[in-house]
PDB file of all heavy atoms in Angstrom:
ATOM      1  N   ALA A 447      86.627 234.444-199.139  1.00  0.00           N
ATOM      2  CA  ALA A 447      86.818 233.094-198.688  1.00  0.00           C
ATOM      3  C   ALA A 447      86.100 232.857-197.412  1.00  0.00           C
ATOM      4  O   ALA A 447      85.995 233.777-196.578  1.00  0.00           O
ATOM      5  CB  ALA A 447      88.286 232.749-198.577  1.00  0.00           C
ATOM      6  N   SER A 448      85.559 231.644-197.224  1.00  0.00           N
ATOM      7  CA  SER A 448      84.941 231.292-195.944  1.00  0.00           C
ATOM      8  C   SER A 448      86.055 231.191-194.928  1.00  0.00           C
ATOM      9  O   SER A 448      87.223 231.159-195.204  1.00  0.00           O
ATOM     10  CB  SER A 448      84.211 229.942-196.088  1.00  0.00           C
ATOM     11  OG  SER A 448      85.155 228.899-196.391  1.00  0.00           O
ATOM     12  N   PRO A 449      85.637 231.117-193.611  1.00  0.00           N
ATOM     13  CA  PRO A 449      86.646 231.129-192.530  1.00  0.00           C
ATOM     14  C   PRO A 449      87.716 230.105-192.685  1.00  0.00           C
ATOM     15  O   PRO A 449      88.933 230.389-192.452  1.00  0.00           O
ATOM     16  CB  PRO A 449      85.830 230.859-191.250  1.00  0.00           C
ATOM     17  CG  PRO A 449      84.501 231.504-191.571  1.00  0.00           C
ATOM     18  CD  PRO A 449      84.257 231.239-193.077  1.00  0.00           C
ATOM     19  N   ASP A 450      87.433 228.852-193.081  1.00  0.00           N
ATOM     20  CA  ASP A 450      88.397 227.793-193.297  1.00  0.00           C
ATOM     21  C   ASP A 450      88.890 227.630-194.664  1.00  0.00           C
ATOM     22  O   ASP A 450      89.672 226.743-194.945  1.00  0.00           O
ATOM     23  CB  ASP A 450      87.878 226.512-192.658  1.00  0.00           C
ATOM     24  CG  ASP A 450      86.692 225.988-193.474  1.00  0.00           C
ATOM     25  OD1 ASP A 450      86.262 226.652-194.402  1.00  0.00           O
ATOM     26  OD2 ASP A 450      86.226 224.823-193.144  1.00  0.00           O
ATOM     27  N   GLY A 451      88.432 228.472-195.596  1.00  0.00           N
ATOM     28  CA  GLY A 451      88.853 228.332-196.986  1.00  0.00           C
ATOM     29  C   GLY A 451      88.162 227.182-197.680  1.00  0.00           C
ATOM     30  O   GLY A 451      88.530 226.900-198.879  1.00  0.00           O
ATOM     31  N   GLY A 452      87.127 226.555-197.084  1.00  0.00           N
ATOM     32  CA  GLY A 452      86.528 225.443-197.777  1.00  0.00           C
ATOM     33  C   GLY A 452      85.589 225.857-198.922  1.00  0.00           C
ATOM     34  O   GLY A 452      85.239 225.056-199.766  1.00  0.00           O
ATOM     35  N   TYR A 453      85.204 227.175-198.905  1.00  0.00           N
ATOM     36  CA  TYR A 453      84.329 227.631-199.958  1.00  0.00           C
ATOM     37  C   TYR A 453      84.767 229.066-200.352  1.00  0.00           C
ATOM     38  O   TYR A 453      85.331 229.789-199.565  1.00  0.00           O
ATOM     39  CB  TYR A 453      82.913 227.752-199.436  1.00  0.00           C
ATOM     40  CG  TYR A 453      82.339 226.350-199.004  1.00  0.00           C
ATOM     41  CD1 TYR A 453      82.469 225.896-197.731  1.00  0.00           C
ATOM     42  CD2 TYR A 453      81.700 225.493-199.915  1.00  0.00           C
ATOM     43  CE1 TYR A 453      82.010 224.665-197.327  1.00  0.00           C
ATOM     44  CE2 TYR A 453      81.261 224.270-199.593  1.00  0.00           C
ATOM     45  CZ  TYR A 453      81.413 223.891-198.258  1.00  0.00           C
ATOM     46  OH  TYR A 453      81.017 222.567-197.872  1.00  0.00           O
ATOM     47  N   LEU A 454      84.525 229.394-201.616  1.00  0.00           N
ATOM     48  CA  LEU A 454      84.873 230.687-202.132  1.00  0.00           C
ATOM     49  C   LEU A 454      83.585 231.305-202.749  1.00  0.00           C
ATOM     50  O   LEU A 454      82.821 230.634-203.325  1.00  0.00           O
ATOM     51  CB  LEU A 454      85.888 230.610-203.226  1.00  0.00           C
ATOM     52  CG  LEU A 454      87.273 230.107-202.827  1.00  0.00           C
ATOM     53  CD1 LEU A 454      88.145 230.026-204.100  1.00  0.00           C
ATOM     54  CD2 LEU A 454      87.948 231.018-201.815  1.00  0.00           C
ATOM     55  N   ALA A 455      83.421 232.624-202.510  1.00  0.00           N
ATOM     56  CA  ALA A 455      82.462 233.385-203.236  1.00  0.00           C
ATOM     57  C   ALA A 455      83.213 234.153-204.282  1.00  0.00           C
ATOM     58  O   ALA A 455      84.179 234.835-204.033  1.00  0.00           O
ATOM     59  CB  ALA A 455      81.778 234.356-202.326  1.00  0.00           C
ATOM     60  N   ILE A 456      82.841 234.018-205.568  1.00  0.00           N
ATOM     61  CA  ILE A 456      83.576 234.591-206.647  1.00  0.00           C
ATOM     62  C   ILE A 456      82.652 235.379-207.501  1.00  0.00           C
ATOM     63  O   ILE A 456      81.606 234.892-208.033  1.00  0.00           O
ATOM     64  CB  ILE A 456      84.296 233.573-207.541  1.00  0.00           C
ATOM     65  CG1 ILE A 456      85.342 232.909-206.693  1.00  0.00           C
ATOM     66  CG2 ILE A 456      84.898 234.192-208.737  1.00  0.00           C
ATOM     67  CD1 ILE A 456      86.172 231.859-207.428  1.00  0.00           C
ATOM     68  N   GLY A 457      82.843 236.660-207.723  1.00  0.00           N
ATOM     69  CA  GLY A 457      82.134 237.537-208.622  1.00  0.00           C
ATOM     70  C   GLY A 457      82.815 237.435-210.004  1.00  0.00           C
ATOM     71  O   GLY A 457      83.999 237.725-210.136  1.00  0.00           O
ATOM     72  N   SER A 458      82.033 236.971-211.039  1.00  0.00           N
ATOM     73  CA  SER A 458      82.648 236.718-212.347  1.00  0.00           C
ATOM     74  C   SER A 458      81.626 237.130-213.411  1.00  0.00           C
ATOM     75  O   SER A 458      80.445 237.415-213.130  1.00  0.00           O
ATOM     76  CB  SER A 458      83.052 235.272-212.517  1.00  0.00           C
ATOM     77  OG  SER A 458      81.956 234.422-212.335  1.00  0.00           O
ATOM     78  N   PHE A 459      82.110 237.049-214.664  1.00  0.00           N
ATOM     79  CA  PHE A 459      81.100 237.220-215.763  1.00  0.00           C
ATOM     80  C   PHE A 459      80.057 236.113-215.661  1.00  0.00           C
ATOM     81  O   PHE A 459      80.346 234.995-215.219  1.00  0.00           O
ATOM     82  CB  PHE A 459      81.836 237.109-217.084  1.00  0.00           C
ATOM     83  CG  PHE A 459      82.248 238.457-217.665  1.00  0.00           C
ATOM     84  CD1 PHE A 459      83.383 238.519-218.438  1.00  0.00           C
ATOM     85  CD2 PHE A 459      81.480 239.587-217.504  1.00  0.00           C
ATOM     86  CE1 PHE A 459      83.770 239.725-219.025  1.00  0.00           C
ATOM     87  CE2 PHE A 459      81.937 240.810-218.009  1.00  0.00           C
ATOM     88  CZ  PHE A 459      83.061 240.875-218.796  1.00  0.00           C
ATOM     89  N   THR A 460      78.891 236.401-216.126  1.00  0.00           N
ATOM     90  CA  THR A 460      77.874 235.421-216.142  1.00  0.00           C
ATOM     91  C   THR A 460      78.283 234.193-217.005  1.00  0.00           C
ATOM     92  O   THR A 460      78.975 234.412-218.017  1.00  0.00           O
ATOM     93  CB  THR A 460      76.527 235.945-216.720  1.00  0.00           C
ATOM     94  OG1 THR A 460      75.595 234.916-216.924  1.00  0.00           O
ATOM     95  CG2 THR A 460      76.724 236.686-218.090  1.00  0.00           C
ATOM     96  N   ARG A 461      77.846 233.045-216.578  1.00  0.00           N
ATOM     97  CA  ARG A 461      78.171 231.839-217.352  1.00  0.00           C
ATOM     98  C   ARG A 461      77.234 231.698-218.550  1.00  0.00           C
ATOM     99  O   ARG A 461      77.409 230.753-219.312  1.00  0.00           O
ATOM    100  CB  ARG A 461      78.145 230.595-216.449  1.00  0.00           C
ATOM    101  CG  ARG A 461      79.246 230.516-215.483  1.00  0.00           C
ATOM    102  CD  ARG A 461      79.063 229.360-214.507  1.00  0.00           C
ATOM    103  NE  ARG A 461      77.941 229.584-213.543  1.00  0.00           N
ATOM    104  CZ  ARG A 461      77.406 228.705-212.743  1.00  0.00           C
ATOM    105  NH1 ARG A 461      77.840 227.429-212.795  1.00  0.00           N
ATOM    106  NH2 ARG A 461      76.391 228.980-211.923  1.00  0.00           N
ATOM    107  N   LYS A 462      76.212 232.451-218.663  1.00  0.00           N
ATOM    108  CA  LYS A 462      75.290 232.416-219.788  1.00  0.00           C
ATOM    109  C   LYS A 462      75.982 232.693-221.063  1.00  0.00           C
ATOM    110  O   LYS A 462      76.955 233.563-221.033  1.00  0.00           O
ATOM    111  CB  LYS A 462      74.074 233.330-219.595  1.00  0.00           C
ATOM    112  CG  LYS A 462      73.169 232.914-218.457  1.00  0.00           C
ATOM    113  CD  LYS A 462      71.978 233.880-218.390  1.00  0.00           C
ATOM    114  CE  LYS A 462      71.022 233.463-217.361  1.00  0.00           C
ATOM    115  NZ  LYS A 462      69.821 234.354-217.223  1.00  0.00           N
ATOM    116  N   LEU A 463      75.613 232.146-222.150  1.00  0.00           N
ATOM    117  CA  LEU A 463      76.201 232.454-223.450  1.00  0.00           C
ATOM    118  C   LEU A 463      75.974 233.889-223.807  1.00  0.00           C
ATOM    119  O   LEU A 463      75.024 234.562-223.434  1.00  0.00           O
ATOM    120  CB  LEU A 463      75.677 231.577-224.494  1.00  0.00           C
ATOM    121  CG  LEU A 463      75.908 230.009-224.243  1.00  0.00           C
ATOM    122  CD1 LEU A 463      75.313 229.198-225.425  1.00  0.00           C
ATOM    123  CD2 LEU A 463      77.338 229.708-224.120  1.00  0.00           C
ATOM    124  N   SER A 464      76.926 234.484-224.568  1.00  0.00           N
ATOM    125  CA  SER A 464      76.920 235.888-224.875  1.00  0.00           C
ATOM    126  C   SER A 464      75.628 236.307-225.525  1.00  0.00           C
ATOM    127  O   SER A 464      75.238 237.484-225.347  1.00  0.00           O
ATOM    128  CB  SER A 464      78.116 236.246-225.781  1.00  0.00           C
ATOM    129  OG  SER A 464      78.110 235.536-226.973  1.00  0.00           O
ATOM    130  N   TYR A 465      75.019 235.491-226.348  1.00  0.00           N
ATOM    131  CA  TYR A 465      73.793 235.952-227.004  1.00  0.00           C
ATOM    132  C   TYR A 465      72.578 235.965-226.049  1.00  0.00           C
ATOM    133  O   TYR A 465      71.504 236.501-226.431  1.00  0.00           O
ATOM    134  CB  TYR A 465      73.514 234.999-228.206  1.00  0.00           C
ATOM    135  CG  TYR A 465      73.072 233.616-227.835  1.00  0.00           C
ATOM    136  CD1 TYR A 465      71.776 233.321-227.478  1.00  0.00           C
ATOM    137  CD2 TYR A 465      73.996 232.614-228.023  1.00  0.00           C
ATOM    138  CE1 TYR A 465      71.360 232.006-227.189  1.00  0.00           C
ATOM    139  CE2 TYR A 465      73.614 231.277-227.700  1.00  0.00           C
ATOM    140  CZ  TYR A 465      72.298 231.000-227.351  1.00  0.00           C
ATOM    141  OH  TYR A 465      71.871 229.669-227.065  1.00  0.00           O
ATOM    142  N   LEU A 466      72.720 235.557-224.849  1.00  0.00           N
ATOM    143  CA  LEU A 466      71.672 235.563-223.863  1.00  0.00           C
ATOM    144  C   LEU A 466      71.744 236.841-222.988  1.00  0.00           C
ATOM    145  O   LEU A 466      70.891 237.065-222.139  1.00  0.00           O
ATOM    146  CB  LEU A 466      71.658 234.364-222.987  1.00  0.00           C
ATOM    147  CG  LEU A 466      71.393 233.024-223.686  1.00  0.00           C
ATOM    148  CD1 LEU A 466      71.459 231.901-222.750  1.00  0.00           C
ATOM    149  CD2 LEU A 466      70.054 233.035-224.334  1.00  0.00           C
TER     150      LEU A 466
END
Side-chain angles (χ1 to χ4, degrees):
S448 65
D450 65 356
Y453 300 89
L454 296 177
I456 296 182
S458 60
F459 267 147
T460 173
R461 289 174 290 169
K462 291 183 179 181
L463 300 181
S464 58
Y465 67 81
L466 295 178

